[in-house]
Amino acid sequence: MENQSNGPKSQAYIEGSAVKETRALVAELCRHFYTLGWVSGTGGSITIKAHDESIPKSNQLIVMSPSGVQKERMVAEDMYVLGSDGSVLSSPSHKGYPHKPPKCTECAPLFMKAYLMRNAGAVIHSHGMESCIATMIRPYAKEFRITHMEMIKGIQGHGYHDELVIPIVENTAREGELTDALSEAIEAYPKATAVLVRNHGIYVWGDTWISAKTQAECYHYLFDAAIRLHQLGLDWSTPSHGPVHHVNELHSKGVIGLHENHARYPNLRCILLDIEGTTTPISFVTDVLFPYARQNVRKHLAATYDTEETQEDIKLLRAQVEDDLKQGLSSLPIPPADAGKEEVIASVVANVEEMIQKDRKITSLKQLQGHIWRVGYQNNELEGVVFADVPDAIEKWHALGIKVYIYSSGSREAQRLIFGKSNYGDLRKYLYGFFDTTIGHKRDARSYSEISLSLGVDRPSEIIFLTDVYQEAVAAKDAGLEAIITVRPGNAALPENHGFKTVQSFSEI
């Protein structure tokens, strides 16, 4: 057997059982896919490596279906055999009139990308109607995203709760012209096992023909589900699959300008929002929330002292004070748990008042404040405040499929309360999640890197972070996020030549 850099090419291998069986398998699968509507009208194609245990997968020969033929009528002898470098080693004979002279599929360069970049064992190219329409529903989207569907489990590396992301590339007049775009998509989405081509179809690959076929069936099922959910006015990309506002409806109201938004931020997938000075006036925090917590901390501790929640709050504060004392900071020690109730409460109150006065961004304080504020919201003594442009903006982003998250020094519970009981009603339906300082300090780039990993984006630059704090913007930028500084009434002055884009309203995003 001849061993060359691009793989074995001897006639024995080409005419052996592995290649013969693979030729027959490709013909069989094409007949099956024809019944599914994936390869009708001579469109679509399939390729499989001829498996041989004695030959490294990267060097195995490749069987491909021809181009421009009736896929349901193909037989094993109609197939092409290629070397691992894509060179044609065996071609079918011309069948004569009315058949055209044989030609290897125009998909060959694209198939080779999946083989070379993903070490695939098989690649399927489908023109299934579902894969075509799925790219049209959101005509400016660069990805198809879906979550919380059982068939996602059939996609390699994914589970039911995961978000499945498939890149979408724009169609071209000739199949081969898609090669560069497909290659870039494969490189940019290392977890993907498929690439959609808008108004055209899909390329799916797997380690084996069984894996590729299974995933192709799951993809087409998920596309069909998304189309049907869309027809029902439901959002397939969210865990709840609840109703979604139609983008055109919002556009007609003047809420959004779709083309403009896409042109400004073509890679935007998520928006991460600070609260104080960004979604909410600083004065609401300093003049309403902080005084409420300070005025009610003693009352709250006395009423809930024996609860597990409050004991955990005190334990966390005690640990913070001990850490402060080790660092030489002025703090009043909090007595141990077996000390008297009044003594413990008095020391906690003194520490909390001092921490609030210094506006310390520490988890222990924020957690207790959140529990105190919860009571205030429950008793209708508090109402969250957001700027007037916030509700329309987050509704717009939600309708466009952009996911909105919150990252604030306040506890996640406190964040949910502000947006759940706001002056514009419950806005949490437009928010996908909340992050607080348990993930890291807001002026530390590592915090934003952790958030990027949690959001599941392929690149941190797909996230825009909005904040009023220059140092936070710097940290987010260092982590690779797009950072924008909000200029709101009452916000601190920014350094000269700070280098960041600024906005006065979310409507500018």
Side-chain angles (χ1 to χ4, degrees):
M1 181 172 290
E2 182 182 1
N3 287 310
Q4 300 185 16
S5 60
N6 56 4
K9 297 184 178 179
S10 75
Q11 285 300 114
Y13 184 23
I14 294 173
E15 297 174 0
S17 60
V19 172
K20 286 182 180 179
E21 291 171 3
T22 306
R23 285 173 178 264
L25 178 60
V26 170
E28 177 189 344
L29 290 175
C30 279
R31 289 193 294 272
H32 173 60
F33 293 160
Y34 178 83
T35 66
L36 300 177
W38 294 3
V39 294
S40 57
T42 77
S45 190
I46 183 172
T47 174
I48 303 174
K49 284 199 170 184
H51 179 69
D52 188 318
E53 292 286 355
S54 66
I55 300 171
K57 187 176 181 181
S58 60
N59 288 342
Q60 290 172 357
L61 295 181
I62 299 166
V63 176
M64 284 191 192
S65 61
S67 177
V69 301
Q70 305 296 315
K71 297 296 194 297
E72 78 280 14
R73 294 179 59 84
M74 289 195 308
V75 293
E77 291 73 25
D78 293 328
M79 304 305 157
Y80 281 79
V81 179
L82 283 68
S84 59
D85 63 348
S87 60
V88 176
L89 305 181
S90 175
S91 304
S93 302
H94 183 23
K95 293 183 175 181
Y97 183 84
H99 303 283
K100 296 178 181 179
K103 183 175 69 170
C104 191
T105 174
E106 287 196 21
C107 302
L110 293 93
F111 287 155
M112 292 306 299
K113 290 296 182 182
Y115 283 134
L116 296 172
M117 300 177 69
R118 285 288 184 268
N119 196 27
V123 191
I124 296 169
H125 175 41
S126 165
H127 283 192
M129 183 68 74
E130 309 96 322
S131 63
C132 190
I133 295 177
T135 67
M136 301 177 180
I137 300 175
R138 291 175 177 168
Y140 298 97
K142 296 298 182 182
E143 299 167 337
F144 173 88
R145 290 174 174 256
I146 192 167
T147 187
H148 284 67
M149 295 286 286
E150 180 68 14
M151 292 296 270
I152 291 176
K153 291 160 62 175
I155 306 302
Q156 181 179 311
H158 290 77
Y160 171 77
H161 292 96
D162 292 330
E163 181 180 47
L164 176 64
V165 181
I166 311 167
I168 302 174
V169 301
E170 300 303 322
N171 196 24
T172 55
R174 304 292 301 182
E175 198 94 30
E177 296 171 358
L178 288 166
T179 306
D180 289 344
L182 182 117
S183 177
E184 292 171 3
I186 291 175
E187 184 176 3
Y189 293 80
K191 194 177 180 181
T193 57
V195 173
L196 281 161
V197 182
R198 196 182 311 280
N199 307 344
H200 182 146
I202 187 172
Y203 285 83
V204 183
W205 57 88
D207 296 334
T208 66
W209 71 267
I210 294 175
S211 172
K213 176 178 177 289
T214 299
Q215 292 185 92
E217 291 167 348
C218 292
Y219 280 125
H220 283 77
Y221 175 97
L222 293 167
F223 298 148
D224 186 38
I227 293 165
R228 297 188 188 202
L229 288 168
H230 176 71
Q231 291 170 335
L232 293 171
L234 302 177
D235 188 351
W236 68 88
S237 64
T238 63
S240 64
H241 301 143
V244 63
H245 292 282
H246 198 279
V247 172
N248 289 337
E249 177 185 345
L250 293 175
H251 178 67
S252 66
K253 293 178 181 178
V255 176
I256 64 173
L258 183 58
H259 295 271
E260 183 181 8
N261 184 284
H262 173 70
R264 285 178 180 174
Y265 305 104
N267 298 317
L268 178 59
R269 300 292 172 260
C270 302
I271 293 179
L272 184 65
L273 301 175
D274 171 47
I275 293 181
E276 186 180 350
T278 300
T279 66
T280 298
I282 290 177
S283 58
F284 173 69
V285 178
T286 59
D287 299 345
V288 178
L289 290 182
F290 284 178
Y292 186 91
R294 188 166 49 244
Q295 293 162 11
N296 288 275
V297 60
R298 185 181 297 275
K299 174 183 172 183
H300 173 82
L301 292 172
T304 63
Y305 187 81
D306 294 322
T307 65
E308 182 178 347
E309 180 179 83
T310 294
Q311 284 301 311
E312 181 61 31
D313 290 344
I314 294 172
K315 180 180 177 181
L316 202 59
L317 281 163
R318 184 182 290 113
Q320 180 64 55
V321 169
E322 290 173 355
D323 187 58
D324 289 347
L325 290 170
K326 289 178 183 178
Q327 297 183 40
L329 300 178
S330 175
S331 294
L332 177 65
I334 298 177
D338 56 2
K341 173 180 176 180
E342 293 303 323
E343 183 182 356
V344 172
I345 289 178
S347 62
V348 170
V349 169
N351 276 286
V352 167
E353 289 179 344
E354 183 178 5
M355 290 175 177
I356 292 176
Q357 184 177 0
K358 293 179 178 178
D359 191 18
R360 295 191 64 184
K361 312 290 188 182
I362 48 178
T363 302
S364 56
L365 172 64
K366 298 302 179 181
Q367 180 171 298
L368 176 59
Q369 285 178 318
H371 295 152
I372 296 171
W373 292 331
R374 180 181 59 200
V375 176
Y377 284 106
Q378 290 173 344
N379 295 337
N380 294 319
E381 297 170 346
L382 290 173
E383 180 183 64
V385 176
V386 298
F387 289 108
D389 56 273
V390 171
D392 283 346
I394 60 177
E395 179 184 10
K396 169 191 72 175
W397 297 330
H398 182 270
L400 288 171
I402 299 168
K403 298 186 175 181
V404 184
Y405 298 84
I406 304 298
Y407 180 30
S408 173
S409 57
S411 68
R412 287 178 295 177
E413 180 172 21
Q415 297 171 29
R416 289 178 57 83
L417 289 168
I418 287 178
F419 292 98
K421 294 181 176 291
S422 82
N423 51 332
Y424 288 92
D426 190 349
L427 301 176
R428 291 174 299 177
K429 57 189 173 184
Y430 303 123
L431 303 176
Y432 278 76
F434 302 85
F435 296 95
D436 58 18
T437 52
T438 57
I439 203 165
H441 198 283
K442 293 186 69 184
R443 299 187 182 191
D444 186 343
R446 289 173 297 183
S447 304
Y448 300 90
S449 296
E450 287 295 321
I451 290 174
S452 297
L453 292 172
S454 298
L455 299 190
V457 296
D458 294 294
R459 296 173 295 276
S461 59
E462 296 173 353
I463 307 171
I464 289 180
F465 175 54
L466 281 89
T467 179
D468 64 309
V469 180
Y470 168 72
Q471 293 86 347
E472 293 176 4
V474 170
K477 182 180 179 182
D478 288 345
L481 282 68
E482 295 286 339
I484 297 175
I485 296 180
T486 52
V487 179
R488 302 286 200 178
N491 286 7
L494 295 171
E496 292 186 14
N497 304 317
H498 54 75
F500 288 94
K501 174 182 171 62
T502 61
V503 296
Q504 296 182 346
S505 168
F506 283 4
S507 63
E508 300 174 45
I509 305 298

